[in-house]
Structure formats: structure tokens, C-alpha cells
Amino acid sequence: MRARSAQYEALDQALDLVGSSPDSAVMLAWRAVEVAYRDLLGGTRSVQEAARQLEGRGLPHSVAETMVRLARLRARVSHGDHTVFPDAAFDFVASCEVVLDQLEVIGWPNVELSER
């Protein structure tokens, strides 16, 4: 749980950056998602492979697709191929929160999805 709260704290920090540094907000928010899925799966892997494995653990397909799209946008931002405006950065951070929420749900041991 401690790691999870740190990831949500990172999202809060990303939200604080949306207006002044939208690119930084995107980078920070994605990092929170990346840490979460790597913690859940153990080790490093491509986001595409992680999304497939997470779907096998119950992550909804639409959320796995969102994860891959977010990673692609983050890569474009980090390479200077895309400039993010504040509204888009806010949406990115909000999407990262949705992904984190779902990762938290599938990370709960011995709980069926229907019980959540």
C-alpha cells in the first residue's frame, strides 16, 4: 500500500505541474503508472508486454489499450516530438489515475473482480 500511495502522490504532484509545465506533468504521471505495473509484474518489460500480461490478470482491455497509448504519448513528449498543452496534460494525468486505479484492483490478492 505504501508504494501505491506514493504513486498517487506523484499524480498529485503532476496535477500541480499541469499549468506551469505540462510536459513535466506527463512525464511524472507516466512514471507513476510505470512503477505500478512493474511492481505488480516484477521487473521490467515493454509496456505492450506488460499490458498483455495485465489483461491476463483481469485488467480490462480498454485500460490496457489506454496504458499503451499513454506510453506512446509520453515517449513522443520525452523525445521532443510533441508539445502538451495544459488541458491535454490534465487529461493525461486523469487517464493515468484510471490506469492506477485498475492496477490497484487487479493487485488485490484473492478477490474476484465481481466482488470489487
Short mmCIF file of all heavy atoms in Angstrom, two decimals, residues 11-37:
data_model
loop_
_atom_site.label_atom_id
_atom_site.label_comp_id
_atom_site.label_asym_id
_atom_site.label_seq_id
_atom_site.Cartn_x
_atom_site.Cartn_y
_atom_site.Cartn_z
N LEU A 11 0.96 11.53 -8.77
CA LEU A 11 -0.10 12.09 -9.62
C LEU A 11 -0.54 13.46 -9.13
O LEU A 11 -0.79 14.37 -9.93
CB LEU A 11 -1.30 11.15 -9.69
CG LEU A 11 -1.13 9.88 -10.51
CD1 LEU A 11 -2.45 9.12 -10.57
CD2 LEU A 11 -0.60 10.16 -11.89
N ASP A 12 -0.62 13.61 -7.81
CA ASP A 12 -0.96 14.93 -7.25
C ASP A 12 0.09 15.97 -7.64
O ASP A 12 -0.24 17.10 -8.00
CB ASP A 12 -1.09 14.86 -5.72
CG ASP A 12 -2.32 14.12 -5.26
OD1 ASP A 12 -3.26 13.95 -6.06
OD2 ASP A 12 -2.34 13.70 -4.09
N GLN A 13 1.35 15.57 -7.59
CA GLN A 13 2.42 16.47 -7.98
C GLN A 13 2.33 16.80 -9.48
O GLN A 13 2.56 17.94 -9.88
CB GLN A 13 3.79 15.86 -7.67
CG GLN A 13 4.06 15.74 -6.19
CD GLN A 13 5.31 14.92 -5.88
OE1 GLN A 13 5.94 14.36 -6.76
NE2 GLN A 13 5.66 14.86 -4.60
N ALA A 14 1.97 15.81 -10.27
CA ALA A 14 1.80 16.04 -11.71
C ALA A 14 0.68 17.04 -11.95
O ALA A 14 0.81 17.93 -12.80
CB ALA A 14 1.52 14.71 -12.42
N LEU A 15 -0.40 16.91 -11.21
CA LEU A 15 -1.51 17.87 -11.36
C LEU A 15 -1.05 19.29 -11.04
O LEU A 15 -1.47 20.24 -11.69
CB LEU A 15 -2.69 17.48 -10.48
CG LEU A 15 -3.56 16.34 -10.98
CD1 LEU A 15 -4.61 15.97 -9.94
CD2 LEU A 15 -4.21 16.68 -12.31
N ASP A 16 -0.19 19.41 -10.05
CA ASP A 16 0.34 20.74 -9.70
C ASP A 16 1.17 21.34 -10.83
O ASP A 16 1.29 22.56 -10.92
CB ASP A 16 1.20 20.66 -8.43
CG ASP A 16 0.38 20.39 -7.17
OD1 ASP A 16 -0.85 20.60 -7.19
OD2 ASP A 16 0.99 19.94 -6.18
N LEU A 17 1.73 20.50 -11.68
CA LEU A 17 2.58 20.97 -12.79
C LEU A 17 1.83 21.23 -14.09
O LEU A 17 2.40 21.78 -15.02
CB LEU A 17 3.68 19.93 -13.05
CG LEU A 17 4.73 19.76 -11.98
CD1 LEU A 17 5.62 18.56 -12.30
CD2 LEU A 17 5.56 21.02 -11.85
N VAL A 18 0.59 20.79 -14.17
CA VAL A 18 -0.18 20.88 -15.41
C VAL A 18 -0.14 22.27 -16.03
O VAL A 18 0.11 22.42 -17.22
CB VAL A 18 -1.63 20.40 -15.19
CG1 VAL A 18 -2.56 20.84 -16.30
CG2 VAL A 18 -1.66 18.89 -15.05
N GLY A 19 -0.36 23.30 -15.23
CA GLY A 19 -0.41 24.66 -15.77
C GLY A 19 0.94 25.24 -16.10
O GLY A 19 1.12 25.91 -17.12
N SER A 20 1.93 24.97 -15.29
CA SER A 20 3.25 25.59 -15.47
C SER A 20 4.20 24.77 -16.32
O SER A 20 5.07 25.32 -17.00
CB SER A 20 3.90 25.86 -14.11
OG SER A 20 4.10 24.63 -13.42
N SER A 21 4.07 23.45 -16.30
CA SER A 21 4.97 22.59 -17.05
C SER A 21 4.24 21.31 -17.48
O SER A 21 4.45 20.23 -16.91
CB SER A 21 6.19 22.24 -16.20
OG SER A 21 7.10 21.46 -16.93
N PRO A 22 3.37 21.43 -18.47
CA PRO A 22 2.56 20.28 -18.87
C PRO A 22 3.38 19.06 -19.29
O PRO A 22 3.01 17.92 -18.99
CB PRO A 22 1.70 20.79 -20.02
CG PRO A 22 2.00 22.22 -20.19
CD PRO A 22 3.05 22.62 -19.24
N ASP A 23 4.51 19.29 -19.97
CA ASP A 23 5.35 18.16 -20.37
C ASP A 23 5.87 17.41 -19.14
O ASP A 23 5.88 16.18 -19.11
CB ASP A 23 6.54 18.62 -21.21
CG ASP A 23 6.14 19.06 -22.62
OD1 ASP A 23 4.95 18.98 -22.97
OD2 ASP A 23 7.04 19.49 -23.36
N SER A 24 6.27 18.15 -18.12
CA SER A 24 6.75 17.53 -16.88
C SER A 24 5.62 16.76 -16.19
O SER A 24 5.85 15.69 -15.61
CB SER A 24 7.31 18.57 -15.93
OG SER A 24 8.45 19.18 -16.49
N ALA A 25 4.42 17.29 -16.26
CA ALA A 25 3.27 16.61 -15.66
C ALA A 25 3.06 15.25 -16.33
O ALA A 25 2.81 14.25 -15.65
CB ALA A 25 2.01 17.47 -15.79
N VAL A 26 3.18 15.22 -17.64
CA VAL A 26 3.03 13.97 -18.39
C VAL A 26 4.10 12.97 -17.96
O VAL A 26 3.82 11.80 -17.69
CB VAL A 26 3.07 14.23 -19.91
CG1 VAL A 26 3.30 12.95 -20.70
CG2 VAL A 26 1.80 14.93 -20.36
N MET A 27 5.33 13.43 -17.90
CA MET A 27 6.44 12.54 -17.54
C MET A 27 6.26 11.95 -16.13
O MET A 27 6.45 10.76 -15.92
CB MET A 27 7.77 13.29 -17.64
CG MET A 27 8.06 13.85 -19.02
SD MET A 27 8.13 12.61 -20.31
CE MET A 27 9.66 11.82 -19.87
N LEU A 28 5.89 12.80 -15.19
CA LEU A 28 5.72 12.37 -13.81
C LEU A 28 4.54 11.42 -13.66
O LEU A 28 4.63 10.39 -12.96
CB LEU A 28 5.55 13.59 -12.90
CG LEU A 28 5.50 13.35 -11.40
CD1 LEU A 28 6.75 12.63 -10.91
CD2 LEU A 28 5.34 14.68 -10.68
N ALA A 29 3.44 11.73 -14.32
CA ALA A 29 2.26 10.87 -14.23
C ALA A 29 2.54 9.49 -14.83
O ALA A 29 2.16 8.46 -14.25
CB ALA A 29 1.07 11.53 -14.91
N TRP A 30 3.21 9.47 -15.98
CA TRP A 30 3.51 8.18 -16.59
C TRP A 30 4.43 7.36 -15.69
O TRP A 30 4.27 6.15 -15.56
CB TRP A 30 4.13 8.32 -17.97
CG TRP A 30 4.55 6.96 -18.44
CD1 TRP A 30 5.81 6.47 -18.55
CD2 TRP A 30 3.67 5.87 -18.74
NE1 TRP A 30 5.77 5.14 -18.92
CE2 TRP A 30 4.47 4.76 -19.04
CE3 TRP A 30 2.28 5.73 -18.79
CZ2 TRP A 30 3.93 3.52 -19.40
CZ3 TRP A 30 1.75 4.52 -19.14
CH2 TRP A 30 2.56 3.41 -19.43
N ARG A 31 5.38 8.00 -15.07
CA ARG A 31 6.31 7.29 -14.20
C ARG A 31 5.56 6.57 -13.08
O ARG A 31 5.91 5.44 -12.70
CB ARG A 31 7.36 8.25 -13.62
CG ARG A 31 8.38 7.59 -12.76
CD ARG A 31 9.28 6.65 -13.56
NE ARG A 31 10.21 5.99 -12.64
CZ ARG A 31 10.58 4.74 -12.73
NH1 ARG A 31 10.17 4.01 -13.72
NH2 ARG A 31 11.40 4.22 -11.86
N ALA A 32 4.52 7.19 -12.56
CA ALA A 32 3.71 6.55 -11.51
C ALA A 32 3.06 5.27 -12.03
O ALA A 32 3.04 4.25 -11.33
CB ALA A 32 2.66 7.52 -10.99
N VAL A 33 2.56 5.30 -13.26
CA VAL A 33 1.95 4.11 -13.85
C VAL A 33 3.02 3.04 -14.10
O VAL A 33 2.82 1.86 -13.79
CB VAL A 33 1.22 4.46 -15.17
CG1 VAL A 33 0.79 3.21 -15.92
CG2 VAL A 33 0.03 5.36 -14.89
N GLU A 34 4.14 3.47 -14.62
CA GLU A 34 5.22 2.53 -14.92
C GLU A 34 5.70 1.80 -13.66
O GLU A 34 5.88 0.58 -13.66
CB GLU A 34 6.37 3.30 -15.57
CG GLU A 34 7.48 2.43 -16.10
CD GLU A 34 8.51 3.26 -16.82
OE1 GLU A 34 8.93 4.31 -16.29
OE2 GLU A 34 8.90 2.85 -17.92
N VAL A 35 5.87 2.54 -12.59
CA VAL A 35 6.29 1.93 -11.32
C VAL A 35 5.23 0.93 -10.86
O VAL A 35 5.55 -0.18 -10.41
CB VAL A 35 6.54 3.01 -10.26
CG1 VAL A 35 6.66 2.40 -8.86
CG2 VAL A 35 7.80 3.80 -10.60
N ALA A 36 3.97 1.29 -10.99
CA ALA A 36 2.89 0.41 -10.53
C ALA A 36 2.86 -0.90 -11.30
O ALA A 36 2.78 -1.98 -10.69
CB ALA A 36 1.55 1.13 -10.66
N TYR A 37 2.94 -0.84 -12.63
CA TYR A 37 2.85 -2.11 -13.36
C TYR A 37 4.11 -2.94 -13.20
O TYR A 37 4.06 -4.16 -13.14
CB TYR A 37 2.42 -1.93 -14.82
CG TYR A 37 3.45 -1.49 -15.83
CD1 TYR A 37 4.47 -2.34 -16.26
CD2 TYR A 37 3.37 -0.24 -16.42
CE1 TYR A 37 5.39 -1.95 -17.22
CE2 TYR A 37 4.27 0.15 -17.38
CZ TYR A 37 5.29 -0.70 -17.78
OH TYR A 37 6.18 -0.32 -18.74
#
